[in-house]
Amino acid sequence: MAVPISAREFRSFWKRAIPSGVGSLRNLAVAFSGGPDSLCLLYLLQEYLKSTASPYSIISLSINHGLQAASDEMTERCRSLSASLGVRNVAVSIPWSSPPFPPRPQPGEAIEEVARLARFQLLFDAMKAHDCDTLVMGHHADDQVETVLMNLLHRRSCSSQNSTINPGMRPLRRWGMGFGNHADSLAWAGVEGMDKWVVRPLLEAPKERLIATCHAHGLRYVEDVTNADPTLTLRNAVRAVIAGRELPATMTGEQVKPIFDVVKEVIPLHDRSTPLKVKVVSQRLRDWVLSLARARETLDNEEVVPPDTVLQRHIVLRILRYISPKPWGSVYAEAGRRTMALDSICKHIFPTPKSEFGASTFAGGADVLWTPMTLTESGELKHVHHSPVLRENLCWLASRVPLRRSEASSLEVDTTMVLRASLNNHGQDKPLLWDNRFLVSFRPQLLSATVKDLLFRGGDTKVLVRPTGPWVLPEVVVLGSGHEPVVIGGYNKAKDGRWSSVVTAGIDVRFVRELSAI
């Protein structure tokens, strides 16, 4: 019989999920569906906050997908359950067909992915509206296994091993810039997502313990029957296997076989000739996925030195995410997390003594360029002009790939009109996320009289933020036919060939990407 999660145990889960040095997380929002997972979480978190006189504030956020006849009823039930725990509930309906939201999915259409993206868009918007810095989610150990198995099934369906095994969800991660590839895509967060967090404190507890916690405290949760029917979706079938339930006899071998083939890959069986029983492996699956997550945690914390290949991929992923112009936190910024792409980069920059050795510039994905350099005794980097080069003198410079001519115009942003309007209205402009790497902020009232004079000359005078130099750095420049271009912010090349920032009152340009694991 499953044991409920105690208050002491939840306190341990919470402190483990939020390590020191992350920053101040104060305003919490709980993703709340009214089901046993989120209800258990909301109860335990609220009790923890009350017992510790914590400075945290808390609300619950519920999303009405509008895809079931009972959607409105379930949303109202969320309000009632949240109120019974003394937590204010905010419910939001998905505005299907209102950009960036797509039309409402029709019966029979695949809805999982689009509903997930729409849900994250609304959760993020609600967090901003209610000044929340952290979203707390009720994912548990069974969800971790589900995530990993679905990843493996996807690899198998593509007939490819060209993707890394996903160790599952992190207990804490930065929200990031969003799931899309540009500002108009669904679930985009932009630079605001770099200051928001997602916490999952229950990842080590199986679902049965969350249900037991609800029962122990008389919490009457909502049940969504569509999540329990293994015949509806592959994910539901995987969920049934993890929970230790036998799959219906009506499911065909073609539906069932891929799931058990993947399970056999990851579970060490003593006798492969013995039929695989669902109840036997559900705990083993949880143990295996937990070991993956623990291994990643030690790597993140640099507590141990992992096998060379794992360490090398980990280093490359961090560098790609830091340098790439793709949205931070998305797979686009990590070369799709493809094993082949990561290993190809590793082969170049971490050559083994027996590997063929040469040094030439290459791009390995995520719009990141790798350039061989030599490090002098004085600490200067110099380009490699011949190959091969001594291994001990070789290092690599990772940079954003240079722009093609056709791409340059897409990074030219005309800010003239908004600056003039801000000066007239004594306002402050919204910061510009430029190339997903730099944040350009204007405080027009602090601009010098010379710059203000240029702004109001009229004619063809304009202020552009545009790319400059081989590193694709932002340059804020005033252009016009009556004068030479005047660089008033960003970066500029000095006479000695070095690039440096241009310091101007009223203009701030800073790099916003993170090198950390989360």
Side-chain angles (χ1 to χ4, degrees):
M1 184 175 179
V3 178
I5 299 170
S6 67
R8 182 176 181 179
E9 192 174 10
F10 181 78
R11 181 193 298 257
S12 174
F13 286 158
W14 184 256
K15 290 186 175 181
R16 183 179 177 86
I18 305 180
S20 60
V22 170
S24 178
L25 307 183
R26 286 291 176 265
N27 299 325
L28 310 179
V30 175
F32 188 59
S33 68
D37 308 344
S38 59
L39 182 56
C40 170
L41 170 64
L42 188 62
Y43 170 78
L44 290 172
L45 181 56
Q46 174 72 331
E47 291 299 303
Y48 167 70
L49 297 181
K50 287 192 298 187
S51 68
T52 58
S54 170
Y56 293 107
S57 67
I58 180 173
I59 63 171
S60 66
L61 300 179
S62 301
I63 305 301
N64 184 345
H65 295 78
L67 298 175
Q68 301 179 37
S71 290
D72 291 343
E73 181 182 341
M74 292 173 68
T75 300
E76 187 55 41
R77 178 69 174 145
C78 287
R79 290 184 189 275
S80 175
L81 285 170
S82 189
S84 70
L85 297 178
V87 178
R88 181 167 67 97
N89 177 258
V90 175
V92 189
S93 297
I94 297 177
W96 298 111
S97 298
S98 177
F101 297 91
R104 184 193 308 272
Q106 298 302 309
E109 292 182 353
I111 64 172
E112 281 186 312
E113 180 63 12
V114 69
R116 183 180 76 92
L117 293 178
R119 185 164 58 249
F120 270 97
Q121 178 75 66
L122 287 185
L123 287 171
F124 185 75
D125 291 345
M127 287 175 67
K128 289 195 299 180
H130 296 276
D131 196 28
C132 296
D133 50 47
T134 306
L135 181 71
V136 191
M137 307 189 78
H139 293 110
H140 44 73
D142 292 11
D143 290 323
Q144 281 284 58
V145 178
E146 179 185 314
T147 298
V148 176
L149 291 188
M150 289 298 294
N151 174 257
L152 291 173
L153 283 165
H154 176 70
R155 281 158 46 103
R156 194 172 258 271
S157 68
C158 295
S159 301
S160 169
Q161 299 302 305
N162 189 22
S163 60
T164 57
I165 292 181
N166 180 357
M169 297 167 280
R170 293 179 182 273
L172 173 73
R173 72 165 175 83
R174 198 180 300 272
W175 189 287
M177 293 182 180
F179 297 94
N181 197 22
H182 53 82
D184 295 326
S185 56
L186 187 62
W188 175 256
V191 72
E192 292 172 297
M194 299 299 288
D195 293 323
K196 296 194 184 298
W197 300 85
V198 179
V199 177
R200 296 179 172 98
L202 299 177
L203 289 178
E204 294 187 19
K207 185 181 182 76
E208 60 187 3
R209 293 198 61 198
L210 275 67
I211 293 175
T213 305
C214 289
H215 290 164
H217 298 283
L219 305 174
R220 301 181 62 183
Y221 50 81
V222 175
E223 293 190 81
D224 186 348
V225 294
T226 62
N227 287 336
D229 187 350
T231 65
L232 289 181
T233 66
L234 176 62
R235 184 175 294 275
N236 281 5
V238 169
R239 195 171 287 152
V241 170
I242 298 167
R245 301 194 303 269
E246 297 291 341
L247 297 178
T250 54
M251 294 186 69
T252 65
E254 187 176 326
Q255 292 173 300
V256 174
K257 186 176 183 299
I259 300 174
F260 286 101
D261 285 346
V262 164
V263 171
K264 288 178 182 178
E265 282 183 22
V266 300
I267 298 298
L269 300 177
H270 297 293
D271 183 2
R272 287 299 179 102
S273 63
T274 303
L276 190 64
K277 298 296 184 181
V278 171
K279 288 186 177 295
V280 175
V281 302
S282 59
Q283 185 56 48
R284 291 193 194 177
L285 284 169
R286 296 188 190 107
D287 292 342
W288 174 68
V289 172
L290 180 59
S291 71
L292 290 179
R294 287 278 172 82
R296 179 179 59 191
E297 184 179 335
T298 58
L299 191 57
D300 288 346
N301 297 334
E302 301 174 357
E303 295 172 357
V304 296
V305 177
D308 286 347
T309 301
V310 177
L311 176 60
Q312 289 172 3
R313 288 177 186 164
H314 192 80
I315 291 171
V316 167
L317 279 173
R318 283 207 199 184
I319 294 173
L320 291 177
R321 188 166 55 222
Y322 185 64
I323 301 296
S324 174
K326 303 297 184 181
W328 194 98
S330 71
V331 296
Y332 307 106
E334 298 175 356
R337 302 191 186 112
R338 298 185 303 273
T339 301
M340 185 179 297
L342 298 177
D343 287 349
S344 175
I345 296 172
C346 291
K347 183 179 178 181
H348 280 83
I349 67 175
F350 302 115
T352 63
K354 295 182 179 180
S355 65
E356 294 183 9
F357 186 69
S360 58
T361 300
F362 71 96
D367 283 352
V368 174
L369 189 71
W370 300 83
T371 304
M373 309 286 285
T374 55
L375 185 65
T376 67
E377 291 184 0
S378 62
E380 288 188 86
L381 289 174
K382 292 188 176 296
H383 283 276
V384 172
H385 296 295
H386 60 86
S387 182
V389 65
L390 292 176
R391 294 174 190 270
E392 56 268 27
N393 294 338
L394 181 69
C395 59
W396 289 88
L397 177 67
S399 61
R400 191 227 196 272
V401 296
L403 290 173
R404 304 179 187 88
R405 282 188 180 180
S406 58
E407 295 176 320
S409 61
S410 66
L411 287 180
E412 290 188 355
V413 182
D414 190 340
T415 63
T416 312
M417 299 308 294
V418 292
L419 284 175
R420 287 175 179 167
S422 294
L423 279 168
N424 288 327
N425 300 324
H426 303 285
Q428 181 172 337
D429 287 336
K430 181 180 180 181
L432 167 68
L433 178 61
W434 189 86
D435 199 34
N436 291 327
R437 298 183 299 141
F438 293 88
L439 190 68
V440 182
S441 303
F442 294 96
R443 297 181 67 186
Q445 303 304 323
L446 298 181
L447 293 173
S448 68
T450 302
V451 174
K452 291 178 182 177
D453 179 61
L454 288 172
L455 267 173
F456 286 101
R457 281 189 180 181
D460 60 354
T461 297
K462 58 184 176 181
V463 180
L464 289 184
V465 181
R466 67 182 185 182
T468 184
W471 316 122
V472 193
L473 300 172
E475 174 186 69
V476 185
V477 59
V478 182
L479 301 176
S481 57
H483 57 83
E484 292 294 319
V486 181
V487 177
I488 60 173
Y491 294 82
N492 197 16
K493 188 176 183 180
K495 292 181 180 180
D496 62 1
R498 295 176 183 269
W499 289 86
S500 60
S501 59
V502 178
V503 179
T504 304
I507 300 175
D508 179 62
V509 179
R510 65 182 177 92
F511 190 74
V512 294
R513 299 183 76 89
E514 290 284 342
L515 189 58
S516 66
I518 55 174

